[in-house]
Amino acid sequence: VNDQGVDWDFPRLISEELAQPIRGADCGGTHRLTGLSLVVKTRIRRGEPLDGEYKRANDFVKKYQQYAFRLQNRDGSLSTSWFRGAGDEDDNDRRIKTTGHILEWLCYSLSDEELRDQRTVRAVTYLANLMYSNYDHDWEIGPRAHATHALLLYDQRVFQPYDKEGEMASYRPSPTVARRPMNAGTGTIRR
């Protein structure tokens, strides 16, 4: 019950969210899609039926997953126009922002089988290569965080279940940090 005495429940909240636009929403609507995906995943995890508003949310999320892949560019990146249509801008800042956000939501919402689909693998490969080949670029914090989280989610869901203790790659500092000389005796990195 809210401060106006109106009863709210998850079906009503889902209905309200489904009535809101994806196109034009902050971050291309990916946060709204993530919220709807969360409610569906929670329902499934609890063993509860996907009926009523939950089924509508599930169908809506699936529709947008397929739409994201229809808008995917040849290089594996996801549309730089979010869900407004096809978009293939050359701006790497735009590409990390859109591909990172959309892939983060996809890695969260897709099934295990769909994560291994060639389209998903191409998007993950594109994003990893974009970040690696521009490792010294000063990415905006939000897009960088979403892109990094997308790759982390993919790793957690696809690779980590098969990791064996002692066989995991060890951490190595980035080439930028490794190349910076240390000030003798102070332990600080020269810029």
Side-chain angles (χ1 to χ4, degrees):
V1 178
N2 70 12
D3 61 350
Q4 298 169 357
V6 178
D7 284 332
W8 281 84
D9 58 14
F10 274 99
R12 180 172 180 185
L13 184 61
I14 293 166
S15 178
E16 292 289 329
E17 281 298 302
L18 288 172
Q20 301 302 312
I22 295 296
R23 295 177 186 135
D26 288 342
C27 300
T30 56
H31 295 284
R32 178 162 287 131
L33 289 166
T34 299
L36 292 168
S37 300
L38 173 62
V39 85
V40 169
K41 287 177 77 103
T42 301
R43 189 87 170 167
I44 291 168
R45 187 177 62 247
R46 291 179 179 168
E48 298 170 347
L50 286 180
D51 55 3
E53 293 301 315
Y54 297 99
K55 181 177 181 342
R56 283 187 61 219
N58 186 55
D59 294 347
F60 189 81
V61 166
K62 296 251 178 252
K63 179 181 89 170
Y64 266 92
Q65 289 169 338
Q66 291 308 309
Y67 187 54
F69 285 125
R70 278 199 308 275
L71 298 176
Q72 187 173 29
N73 297 311
R74 288 178 171 228
D75 62 5
S77 66
L78 299 165
S79 176
T80 55
S81 296
W82 300 101
F83 294 105
R84 291 176 189 235
D88 195 11
E89 291 179 31
D90 273 344
D91 180 10
N92 283 342
D93 288 301
R94 181 70 176 177
R95 287 171 163 266
I96 197 170
K97 186 175 194 172
T98 55
T99 298
H101 273 82
I102 297 169
L103 184 61
E104 178 184 38
W105 161 66
L106 288 170
C107 286
Y108 177 73
S109 66
L110 291 171
S111 70
D112 289 345
E113 182 180 328
E114 291 165 324
L115 285 175
R116 289 165 178 79
D117 182 281
Q118 179 184 12
R119 300 169 302 177
T120 311
V121 172
R122 285 178 54 235
V124 168
T125 301
Y126 174 82
L127 186 59
N129 285 336
L130 177 66
M131 294 182 78
Y132 179 77
S133 63
N134 295 281
Y135 67 88
D136 58 350
H137 183 76
D138 188 19
W139 301 108
E140 187 181 336
I141 190 69
R144 181 180 65 201
H146 285 284
T148 303
H149 190 232
L151 297 175
L152 174 69
L153 285 171
Y154 191 80
D155 179 60
Q156 287 174 335
R157 293 195 57 205
V158 175
F159 297 119
Q160 284 185 18
Y162 302 100
D163 286 346
K164 294 178 185 163
E165 193 62 37
E167 294 181 8
M168 294 173 271
S170 62
Y171 168 79
R172 282 187 269 160
S174 72
T176 306
V177 172
R179 282 192 305 225
R180 291 186 195 146
M182 299 290 279
N183 286 333
T186 65
T188 59
I189 296 175
R190 283 190 226 143
R191 299 253 173 218

